[in-house]
């Protein structure tokens, strides 16, 4: 089975196992991480040994670990992928996030499978098919509205969990439907090596050649932030809330995970019918602020409605928060008026001729009070004369708060599990019982002479002090009951040993009590796929995937774009983002406007970056934009990608 219907999961990313541990300490109920290979982030790989250690750490809190194996695979890679899956299973991994349906045709261990967002899940029919094909958790397309999420939930059997991205970078294309990187560079996004063509500057022209936008980052989206929509998403049926960021560093994961832990906890307090999916209470030792870590501006994308301002057209960089303005410029310093406190090492920036210019503050010193704030003198890491366009009045932003970041390099959260303790008599001494919040119970015995204490109050205090010291353990004491027939005199050293034995036993018992989520069996006979033919956009790259779809009733199956069988112009990118809408050139926007209605048509437009030119076609009924183009000749004529260089995979059984 998957999550229970009432359980709410906060799912955090981990570039490394160390980051995964911090994600759990900062409140994640589950963590997703890349294995040694076949993950959709080429430079976020981890050894099986590290993943095994992370699983053990997570399972103490009854949190889950998912490994991403969500690239499409060539026939020559299937056996290596199967071997890796067994390694993950033996290491204690709870689920795999996959895209390639060929994996379902292999002899796999009974490990739970989650359908990656790369599976392009945006319709109830597709979601229902995957739910009947052996997937326990479905990662929905980022473009879905809350209403569309609710419709998908209604179409699914109850045990299936719906997962939704709530924070982080947004791919402009429907995930799994973008081939522009491979067409231009030979680097396939479906195989974990996207060249991020969407972050480049483009010039947009209309059907008559008129320039609509010049050298703007027209395919670059703001970053996702669903803080305001969490409760609505819960009501719509989302049970797993996913943070994007397997390339992100420790500070980002700490900050964003802590932010959403606090947000979800507030909702759970109002809704006792829901509960968090793992154990413990997280105490955050700093003030989380999503604006303090990398983002390109914030949007809730299409969750509530289509909006104009979802793009980060001016720059794909992180400009941070407004800081203040320059009030003086010296030979090797500038003075800034701000209401913030500055630190050595702060990152500052400003915009000059539509470009973001960044500079670091080597030294920052308070000078005096200003009219609207405090005056700080900054000695930058570059010569002031070389900072183009910097002058009195220039507005500055701060994209690196050095003092705030340094605070996150230290311990910034504590997560503990509530425990009730009871000391009772035994035949030859005393026994200490511990029961945690999940009902896991252990006992530890102390053989000792039971001598009545001469000073009852002092003896009681001694017992309470010794048995309450849970310190730097997984647990915090919620209640201690002294249920012995008398208050015995027991040396503190013996009580400390008794407490430590009980705590060690409880950690072991919690790990033993953890039950890995069960595999969801596929429906028999095979549930029919919603269509009988598949284009290259289905990303079928191996014979096992072909066999899977044939079993489910598909008759015509085109090869994935990476097979180099599409020489002509095709949809390299399909996106809900519409440049006609962004520039008020959409026929639907003109509808009902007197003197304009009927004058605006969704004619093709041209998008150009350097020597690369694309035709934009607009499908108004589903509100989609298609970026049309073809594979560069030298890439088309080259051998298709067939082998990912695999890191040696070594078996390490996780201690159970």
């Amino acid at each position: 089975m998957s999550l229970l219907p009432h359980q709410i999961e906060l799912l955090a990313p981990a570039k490394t196992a160390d980051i995964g541990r911090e994600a759990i300490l900062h409140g994640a109920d589950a963590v997703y991480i890349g294995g040694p290979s076949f993950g959709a982030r080429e430079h976020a790989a981890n050894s099986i040994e590290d993943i095994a250690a992370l699983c053990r750490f997570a399972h103490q809190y009854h949190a889950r670990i998912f490994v991403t194996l969500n690239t499409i695979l060539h026939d020559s890679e299937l056996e290596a992928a199967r071997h890796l899956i067994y390694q993950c299973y033996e290491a204690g991994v709870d689920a795999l996030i996959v895209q390639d349906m060929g994996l379902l045709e292999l002899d796999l261990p009974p490990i739970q499978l989650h359908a990656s967002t790369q599976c392009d899940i945006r319709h109830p029919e597709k979601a229902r098919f995957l739910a009947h094909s052996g997937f326990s958790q479905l990662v929905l397309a980022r473009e879905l509205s809350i209403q569309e999420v609710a419709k998908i939930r209604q179409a699914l059997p109850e045990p299936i969990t719906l997962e939704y991205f709530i924070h982080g970078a947004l791919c402009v294309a429907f995930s799994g439907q973008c081939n522009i990187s491979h067409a231009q560079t030979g680097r396939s996004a479906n195989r974990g090596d996207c060249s991020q063509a969407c972050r480049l500057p483009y010039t947009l022209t209309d059907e008559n050649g008129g320039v609509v936008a010049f050298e703007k980052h027209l395919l670059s989206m703001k970053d996702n932030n669903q803080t305001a929509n969490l409760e609505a998403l819960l009501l719509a049926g989302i049970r797993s809330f996913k943070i994007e960021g397997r390339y992100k560093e420790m500070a980002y994961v700490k900050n964003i995970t802590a932010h959403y832990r606090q947000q979800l906890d507030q909702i759970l307090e109002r809704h006792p019918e829901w509960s968090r999916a793992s154990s413990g209470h997280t105490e955050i030792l700093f003030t989380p602020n999503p604006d303090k870590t990398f983002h390109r501006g914030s949007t809730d994308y299409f969750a509530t409605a289509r909006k104009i301002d979802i793009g980060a057209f001016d720059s794909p960089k992180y400009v941070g928060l407004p800081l203040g303005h320059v009030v003086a410029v010296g030979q090797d310093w500038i003075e800034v008026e701000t209401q913030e406190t500055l630190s050595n090492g702060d990152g500052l920036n400003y915009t000059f001729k539509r470009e973001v210019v960044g500079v670091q503050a080597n030294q920052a010193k308070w000078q005096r009070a200003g009219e609207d704030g405090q005056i700080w003198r900054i000695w930058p890491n570059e010569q002031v004369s070389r900072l183009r366009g910097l002058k009195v009045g220039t507005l500055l932003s701060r994209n690196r708060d050095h003092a705030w970041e340094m605070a996150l390099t230290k311990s910034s959260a504590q997560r503990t599990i509530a425990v009730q303790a009871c000391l009772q008599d035994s035949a030859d001494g005393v026994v200490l019982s511990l029961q945690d919040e999940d009902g896991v119970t252990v006992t530890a015995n102390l053989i000792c002479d039971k001598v009545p204490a001469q000073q009852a109050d002092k003896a009681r205090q001694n017992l309470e002090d010794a048995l309450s010291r849970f310190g730097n353990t997984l647990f915090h004491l919620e209640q201690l009951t002294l249920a012995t027939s008398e208050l015995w005199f027991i040396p503190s050293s013996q009580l400390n040993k008794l407490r430590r034995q009980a705590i060690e036993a409880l950690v072991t018992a919690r790990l033993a009590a953890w039950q890995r989520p069960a595999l969801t069996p596929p429906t028999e006979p095979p549930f029919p796929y919603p269509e009988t033919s598949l284009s290259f956009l289905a990303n079928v790259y191996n014979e096992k995937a072909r066999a899977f779809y044939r079993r489910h009733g598909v008759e015509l199956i085109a090869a994935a774009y990476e097979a180099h069988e599409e020489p002509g112009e095709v949809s390299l990118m399909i996106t809900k983002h519409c440049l006609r809408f962004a520039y008020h050139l959409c026929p639907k926007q003109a509808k009902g406007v007197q003197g304009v209605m009927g004058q605006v048509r969704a004619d093709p437009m041209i998008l150009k970056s350097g020597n690369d030119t694309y035709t934009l076609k607009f499908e108004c009924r589903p509100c989609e934009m298609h970026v049309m183009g073809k594979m560069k000749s030298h890439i088309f004529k080259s051998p298709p990608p067939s082998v990912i260089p695999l890191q040696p995979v070594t078996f390490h059984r996780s201690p159970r």
Side-chain angles (χ1 to χ4, degrees):
M1 63 178 295
S2 190
L3 289 175
L4 296 175
H6 68 277
Q7 291 180 317
I8 310 305
E9 176 178 88
L10 177 59
L11 176 57
K15 181 180 180 180
T16 66
D18 286 342
I19 293 177
R21 291 185 187 91
E22 289 299 329
I24 291 166
L25 291 177
H26 285 72
D29 301 300
V31 165
Y32 65 105
I33 188 170
S37 53
F38 304 126
R41 293 291 185 273
E42 186 181 34
H43 303 295
N46 294 273
S47 71
I48 290 293
E49 185 176 30
D50 285 346
I51 290 173
L54 178 60
C55 288
R56 180 174 172 83
F57 181 82
H59 293 165
Q60 295 176 116
Y61 296 96
H62 291 184
R64 303 195 293 171
I65 299 299
F66 309 150
V67 165
T68 55
L69 206 155
N70 56 340
T71 60
I72 59 172
L73 304 170
H74 189 269
D75 290 284
S76 64
E77 298 165 327
L78 288 173
E79 179 55 28
R82 188 186 72 84
H83 180 67
L84 175 59
I85 291 170
Y86 270 92
Q87 299 285 336
C88 289
Y89 181 75
E90 292 296 333
V93 171
D94 297 292
L96 298 175
I97 304 173
V98 304
Q99 173 188 185
D100 197 317
M101 297 299 138
L103 293 173
L104 279 73
E105 297 293 296
L106 302 180
D107 173 28
L108 300 181
I111 191 169
Q112 194 171 92
L113 300 178
H114 296 180
S116 168
T117 189
Q118 294 291 117
C119 293
D120 188 28
I121 310 169
R122 45 189 161 120
H123 301 294
E125 296 78 15
K126 181 73 168 288
R128 189 185 301 116
F129 168 75
L130 293 169
H132 283 281
S133 298
F135 289 97
S136 303
Q137 195 152 314
L138 309 181
V139 190
L140 299 182
R142 293 168 171 89
E143 293 80 2
L144 293 179
S145 69
I146 294 171
Q147 291 76 16
E148 289 170 325
V149 168
K151 289 180 181 178
I152 291 176
R153 175 68 269 171
Q154 293 165 9
L156 298 179
E158 187 58 60
I160 302 302
T161 298
L162 290 185
E163 183 178 314
Y164 191 88
F165 278 96
I166 56 170
H167 201 93
L170 285 167
C171 293
V172 63
F174 290 111
S175 293
Q177 305 293 284
C178 186
N179 291 289
I180 196 169
S181 174
H182 189 75
Q184 296 302 319
T185 67
R187 295 167 54 185
S188 168
N190 283 314
R191 289 173 59 79
D193 193 22
C194 179
S195 62
Q196 294 199 313
C198 54
R199 302 299 182 187
L200 298 175
Y202 291 89
T203 293
L204 177 67
T205 56
D206 61 21
E207 57 272 18
N208 300 316
V211 174
V212 177
F214 179 75
E215 289 291 296
K216 290 275 193 177
H217 300 269
L218 298 173
L219 299 178
S220 178
M221 297 291 94
K222 290 180 179 178
D223 282 6
N224 188 16
N225 187 326
Q226 299 292 339
T227 300
N229 297 324
L230 296 178
E231 192 162 357
L233 287 165
L234 275 164
L235 292 169
I238 296 299
R239 291 297 177 264
S240 180
F241 293 85
K242 187 171 194 173
I243 299 167
E244 182 275 339
R246 277 199 297 123
Y247 275 166
K248 299 294 176 62
E249 299 300 331
M250 183 81 78
Y252 170 93
V253 174
K254 284 185 172 185
N255 182 33
I256 302 304
T257 303
H259 166 73
Y260 282 102
R261 179 72 272 152
Q262 291 182 342
Q263 296 294 315
L264 287 173
D265 284 349
Q266 291 173 14
I267 294 172
L268 295 180
E269 286 181 8
R270 299 196 300 270
H271 290 274
E273 69 274 20
W274 294 328
S275 64
R276 66 180 297 180
S278 63
S279 307
H281 170 75
T282 301
E283 181 183 1
I284 306 301
L285 306 178
F286 69 105
T287 303
N289 184 347
D291 289 330
K292 289 279 192 179
T293 41
F294 184 96
H295 67 92
R296 302 172 180 90
S298 297
T299 176
D300 69 356
Y301 214 29
F302 297 98
T304 51
R306 179 179 286 276
K307 300 177 181 66
I308 289 287
D309 60 344
I310 63 174
F313 292 171
D314 292 328
S315 173
K317 298 178 181 178
Y318 173 46
V319 297
L321 295 171
L323 180 66
H325 64 280
V326 176
V327 294
V329 178
Q331 185 174 356
D332 61 351
W333 53 263
I334 61 173
E335 287 188 347
V336 178
E337 185 169 19
T338 177
Q339 295 183 357
E340 302 293 328
T341 299
L342 302 185
S343 301
N344 299 345
D346 280 355
L348 313 176
N349 62 79
Y350 61 96
T351 302
F352 177 65
K353 291 186 176 180
R354 300 189 306 154
E355 290 187 13
V356 176
V357 180
V359 64
Q360 179 176 298
N362 277 351
Q363 189 177 11
K365 282 189 176 182
W366 180 86
Q367 299 295 300
R368 60 191 181 278
E371 292 183 6
D372 299 311
Q374 304 296 315
I375 308 298
W376 288 77
R377 180 168 291 187
I378 296 167
W379 287 265
N381 65 338
E382 295 184 36
Q383 293 183 20
V384 172
S385 60
R386 293 186 179 180
L387 295 175
R388 298 172 298 129
L390 185 66
K391 59 184 180 181
V392 172
T394 297
L395 298 177
L396 294 181
S397 294
R398 177 166 59 182
N399 60 359
R400 185 187 184 212
D401 186 333
H402 183 69
W404 189 83
E405 288 188 5
M406 288 303 295
L408 287 182
T409 64
K410 305 171 184 176
S411 176
S412 49
Q414 295 176 348
R415 180 170 178 173
T416 54
I417 299 161
V419 167
Q420 304 220 9
C422 181
L423 185 70
Q424 295 175 292
D425 290 324
S426 65
D428 50 6
V430 292
V431 59
L432 178 63
S433 300
L434 298 182
Q435 183 177 62
D436 68 24
E437 61 189 58
D438 296 309
V440 179
T441 302
V442 297
T443 59
N445 292 287
L446 174 63
I447 298 175
C448 63
D449 294 328
K450 290 188 283 188
V451 178
Q454 294 182 354
Q455 296 179 320
D457 290 343
K458 188 175 180 180
R460 179 181 297 277
Q461 189 65 49
N462 180 58
L463 290 167
E464 290 178 348
D465 288 347
L467 298 179
S468 299
R469 294 175 190 161
F470 281 73
N472 295 322
T473 71
L474 289 179
F475 310 104
H476 69 267
L477 184 64
E478 198 170 63
Q479 182 178 359
L480 171 63
T481 302
L482 300 178
T484 53
S485 58
E486 289 192 52
L487 291 173
W488 310 114
F489 171 75
I490 303 174
S492 295
S493 60
Q494 293 187 42
L495 292 172
N496 290 335
K497 182 179 179 181
L498 177 66
R499 184 195 69 246
R500 288 193 295 267
Q501 289 177 339
I503 290 172
E504 290 173 5
L506 187 54
V507 171
T508 301
R510 284 190 62 80
L511 287 170
W514 173 246
Q515 294 184 359
R516 186 167 9 202
L519 175 69
T520 299
T523 300
E524 291 295 342
F527 196 82
Y529 190 75
E531 303 173 49
T532 58
S533 64
L534 294 173
S535 74
F536 71 93
L537 292 169
N539 299 322
V540 177
Y541 198 47
N542 58 69
E543 286 305 315
K544 290 294 186 182
R546 287 179 178 274
F548 171 86
Y549 283 112
R550 288 194 186 103
R551 281 201 308 110
H552 292 274
V554 182
E555 299 170 0
L556 299 175
I557 304 172
Y561 194 69
E562 288 78 1
H564 295 183
E565 296 182 10
E566 300 287 343
E569 187 176 75
V570 298
S571 292
L572 295 178
M573 178 188 290
I574 304 175
T575 172
K576 194 77 173 172
H577 166 54
C578 177
L579 285 171
R580 279 196 167 276
F581 185 85
Y583 284 97
H584 301 278
L585 298 172
C586 169
K588 293 182 180 180
Q589 289 170 315
K591 187 176 181 180
V593 180
Q594 188 173 2
V596 178
M597 188 173 63
Q599 304 299 310
V600 179
R601 299 178 301 176
D603 292 326
M605 303 179 83
I606 301 299
L607 199 63
K608 188 170 183 178
S609 177
N611 295 323
D612 299 325
T613 300
Y614 309 95
T615 301
L616 300 183
K617 291 186 178 179
F618 302 91
E619 299 289 341
C620 290
R621 187 176 296 274
C623 264
E624 294 174 357
M625 182 176 77
H626 292 241
V627 181
M628 309 295 295
K630 62 181 183 179
M631 197 180 302
K632 288 184 176 178
S633 178
H634 72 279
I635 296 172
F636 183 76
K637 294 176 182 178
S638 66
S642 59
V643 177
I644 293 178
L646 297 179
Q647 299 179 14
V649 179
T650 305
F651 174 75
H652 295 275
R653 181 183 294 276
S654 175
R656 306 302 288 170

